[in-house]
Amino acid sequence: MHTLFRARQIPLPAALVRLSELAHNLWYSWNDSAKSLFAEIDATLWDQCQHNPVRLLIEAPNEKLERLAGNGDFLRRYQAVIQQYDDYMERQTWFERQYPQHVHQAVAYFSAEFGFHELLPIYSGGLGVLAGDHCKSASDLGCAARRHRPVV
């Protein structure tokens, strides 16, 4: 499968470089630890950015990110979130166990709207939210390009 797009390169301290990867993957949107980590960078800016982690990382002052890169408590939380993300991305899924011969085939889900996150206002109600739920379920089951980082 092909990656839908590549993560935008955001200059980050080396210790926090994978924040960009997390920000460009909708996985963060259903993981409370990841959302809390982004909010911890700058709670006011997080709210001003309407919980958009890409925008947050672009607008966060470099000095603040450098300070966080040297903060042991923040780094432990960051590493824990990265471990959760890696575990999710690398685990063997139900689909891989049940249909190993189809793992590399593309899966498409067509809908006029998708309710992924409030940052992407491409839904108007229940059917869009249902389509978003189908996509998350496909990711959880391993029927989506979940392993090809980053995927949005």
Side-chain angles (χ1 to χ4, degrees), residues 21-41:
E21 184 178 342
L22 290 177
H24 284 87
N25 191 302
L26 284 174
W27 175 87
Y28 89 87
S29 70
W30 65 78
N31 184 282
D32 291 336
S33 298
K35 290 186 287 190
S36 294
L37 189 72
F38 285 119
E40 190 176 343
I41 292 171

Side-chain angles (χ1 to χ4, degrees), residues 88 91-98 134-144 146:
Y88 178 83
R91 67 186 168 81
Q92 186 178 35
T93 65
W94 171 87
F95 189 80
E96 291 167 329
R97 287 189 306 274
Q98 297 297 317
H134 282 258
C135 289
K136 181 185 180 306
S137 293
S139 178
D140 289 346
L141 290 172
C143 308
R146 177 182 57 81

Side-chain angles (χ1 to χ4, degrees), residues 55-95:
R55 184 172 161 208
L56 172 79
L57 294 177
I58 290 170
E59 294 186 16
N62 288 339
E63 309 82 52
K64 181 166 253 182
L65 293 169
E66 290 291 343
R67 250 190 334 273
L68 289 170
N71 179 318
D73 290 337
F74 183 83
L75 286 176
R76 278 188 287 285
R77 285 187 291 281
Y78 166 75
Q79 288 298 330
V81 169
I82 292 295
Q83 187 61 56
Q84 289 175 24
Y85 175 72
D86 287 343
D87 290 347
Y88 178 83
M89 297 297 279
E90 301 302 328
R91 67 186 168 81
Q92 186 178 35
T93 65
W94 171 87
F95 189 80

Side-chain angles (χ1 to χ4, degrees), residues 5 8 10 19-20 22-26 28-29 34-35 37-39 41-60 117-121 152:
F5 66 87
R8 178 176 174 186
I10 299 170
L19 280 174
S20 179
L22 290 177
H24 284 87
N25 191 302
L26 284 174
Y28 89 87
S29 70
K35 290 186 287 190
L37 189 72
F38 285 119
I41 292 171
D42 186 322
T44 302
L45 184 57
W46 177 244
D47 287 339
Q48 289 172 350
C49 293
Q50 299 176 313
H51 301 175
N52 180 333
V54 174
R55 184 172 161 208
L56 172 79
L57 294 177
I58 290 170
E59 294 186 16
H117 189 269
E118 68 260 12
L119 290 173
L120 299 169
V152 174

